[in-house]
Amino acid sequence: MEANEEAESKCDHFLRWLQANGAELRGCAIRCSGPSTGYGVFSSSSSGGGGGTSGGPEVLLVVPLDLAITPMSVLRDPLLGPRCGELFEEGDVDDRFMIMLFLTVQRLRKNSPWKPYLDMLPTAFGNPLWFTDDELDELKGTALYRATILQKKKLQGLFEEKAKHLVGEFLLLDGESESEVRFEDFLWANSIFWTRALNIPFPHSYVFPQSQEGKGGEETPSSEQSETVWVEGLVPGIDFCNHGLKAQATWEVDGAGSITGIPSSMYLLSAEQNALQADKEICISYGNKGNEELLYLYGFVIDNNPDDYLMVHYPIEALKSVPFSDVKGRLLELQKAEMRFLLPRSLLDHGFFSKSPVQDKNKCSNSQFHNYSWSGHRKAPSYLNKLVFPEEFLAMLRTIAMKEDEINQVSSLLEQLIGSGNDRQPSDQEVQAAVWEACGDSGALQLLVDLLNVKMMELEEGSGTEDCDAKILENTHVCDVFQSNNIEGTGHELMTKNRWSSIVYRRGQKQLTRLFLKEAVHALELCLNEQP
């Protein structure tokens, strides 16, 4: 009960601060959405009078861009601005680091003018950087486990080398010499930035007001005045919108004030034609993101996420040990090849085992290079329209899997194409076509099967199979530090939300690996059967 009263008190204080700084809540309210989910934006009973056009979407919330925390606002800050300006000019800080410094300093200041906003922000997060050692162990074998270890090490280095000293310097300027600067404070600022920052399309005149008049008082060209400059920043109020698969609202920038009546503002716009139901949470979309990205950046996952994906990576170190690595490396450079690819779940909708209609041949990206043939001997395979793997991905694998005679054939084909003694370099498409003509698909598909088998072994090594994860999720009850549900007699065990998120994520990775491996094995069988 006390926790709820404290949350409501903080929210009331924040709303007064928000409105005192020019923000307007026209068809919504900001309030606590639950003990474990923090605050959210909800439609108010007065929804329907938000200033939208008659019969159309309504404006729910308006926040002046002057209230946004951006690199420009940091440089204007009397405490941090002068020093950050020097460091920025010298290349010692970038835009994101400046915002993180600003947040860390404001959190440690005893009388920060941003306190009403900061008090509303979470103090801990569900992303893996905040996991306990036991919770992090649940991610072993996944790409996210390795990424988290590397990122935390990088952040600790950045804190020790730069952030700790600079934050202490700013606090001394503010007369707060006794404040201890901890790594957790900087980690908090990093997580606040990545979970809440928006990529904001500022009017050029807002970002560069000094360029509005040219030399001699001449007006800046209208093309520059209307130019948009994209800048990352936090917008208090709008950043309390949570993510939903179906967004009820979007945000826009009103440069001239013609829509909201407030020039240089950001506003929340209802995505629904009809008035929103009262007291319904208003969610925006963070984009079509898989669980790996959602967990890494935002600290949550979506069970059975339709936008999930699998990342398949061929290690650079492994390339150095393959036969003829120098030649293959050069061919990969000519192709501008990537060594890692994201395979979205949606690719499976047109695979060998999909119940969807056959994909239109004209829309199949994999036909782009298969039909190119100098000799006419290499024919497009019959399975082409059912192959779910991107052509650029297969081209990279073909190059790595090439044998000596195939490398010689590629060299010969490219010489025929560009002529001997010609300085012209073959294009990426010409190299991809030559590699396919010489190699076909069998080597690439075998390498892909090997990569996916290794990935599955890594995923299952510490946590078992996909079925094991499913059983764990079935027999557990998610709780958090705020929850004290009595579940005795239900046969369920308690599980932290972080552990639950980890298991949902890794189960999804195992499922996708299994499904893409099944596609790759079948494609390889068909390919070998069609070889002369």
Side-chain angles (χ1 to χ4, degrees), residues 289-514:
K289 292 177 167 49
N291 280 341
E292 191 162 278
E293 190 174 1
L294 290 175
L295 185 55
Y296 186 66
L297 292 180
Y298 304 105
F300 68 89
V301 296
I302 298 172
D303 202 2
N304 298 313
N305 187 347
D307 297 312
D308 222 353
Y309 59 77
L310 183 73
M311 192 270 284
V312 182
H313 173 221
Y314 190 90
I316 295 290
E317 317 83 68
L319 180 62
K320 295 175 183 177
S321 62
V322 301
F324 311 102
S325 59
D326 291 343
V327 177
K328 292 177 180 179
R330 176 60 180 153
L331 289 171
L332 289 169
E333 286 180 16
L334 289 171
Q335 296 175 68
K336 305 179 183 66
E338 297 287 341
M339 303 303 286
R340 65 181 65 206
F341 275 84
L342 299 182
L343 303 178
R345 178 186 293 273
S346 58
L347 290 175
L348 297 165
D349 293 341
H350 303 287
F352 295 110
F353 305 98
S354 168
K355 296 179 181 179
S356 303
V358 175
Q359 190 178 16
D360 186 337
K361 186 174 182 179
N362 295 325
K363 295 180 181 178
C364 183
S365 62
N366 287 327
S367 65
Q368 186 175 0
F369 304 115
H370 281 94
N371 293 334
Y372 192 107
S373 174
W374 282 273
S375 64
H377 294 310
R378 181 75 67 183
K379 303 297 183 183
S382 64
Y383 54 79
L384 180 59
N385 288 335
K386 283 288 189 177
L387 200 58
V388 300
F389 303 101
E391 171 58 32
E392 292 81 0
F393 181 39
L394 292 174
M396 179 267 288
L397 295 176
R398 289 187 200 109
T399 305
I400 294 173
M402 278 194 298
K403 300 173 183 176
E404 183 176 8
D405 61 320
E406 293 168 339
I407 292 175
N408 294 333
Q409 187 179 351
V410 169
S411 298
S412 176
L413 289 168
L414 292 176
E415 274 188 20
Q416 292 176 36
L417 178 68
I418 62 178
S420 59
N422 195 325
D423 292 335
R424 180 177 83 81
Q425 293 287 349
S427 70
D428 54 345
Q429 292 190 12
E430 288 168 344
V431 175
Q432 288 176 351
V435 170
W436 181 76
E437 167 121 350
C439 306
D441 287 333
S442 60
L445 289 171
Q446 182 60 66
L447 181 54
L448 177 56
V449 168
D450 293 342
L451 286 174
L452 291 171
N453 272 319
V454 169
K455 190 168 187 71
M456 185 62 88
M457 287 174 58
E458 291 175 346
L459 287 167
E460 293 181 347
E461 185 177 3
S463 57
T465 64
E466 178 188 342
D467 288 341
C468 291
D469 290 338
K471 288 178 181 177
I472 292 173
L473 294 172
E474 287 173 7
N475 297 318
T476 53
H477 178 88
V478 181
C479 72
D480 51 55
V481 295
F482 302 100
Q483 200 172 31
S484 57
N485 290 13
N486 183 357
I487 59 166
E488 291 182 7
T490 64
H492 288 66
E493 296 181 6
L494 285 175
M495 176 189 292
T496 66
K497 188 176 180 181
N498 290 347
R499 185 168 176 245
W500 180 84
S501 297
S502 299
I503 297 173
V504 168
Y505 157 64
R506 79 185 186 209
R507 181 192 61 179
Q509 292 293 288
K510 292 171 186 176
Q511 182 188 69
L512 289 176
T513 303
R514 172 177 58 81

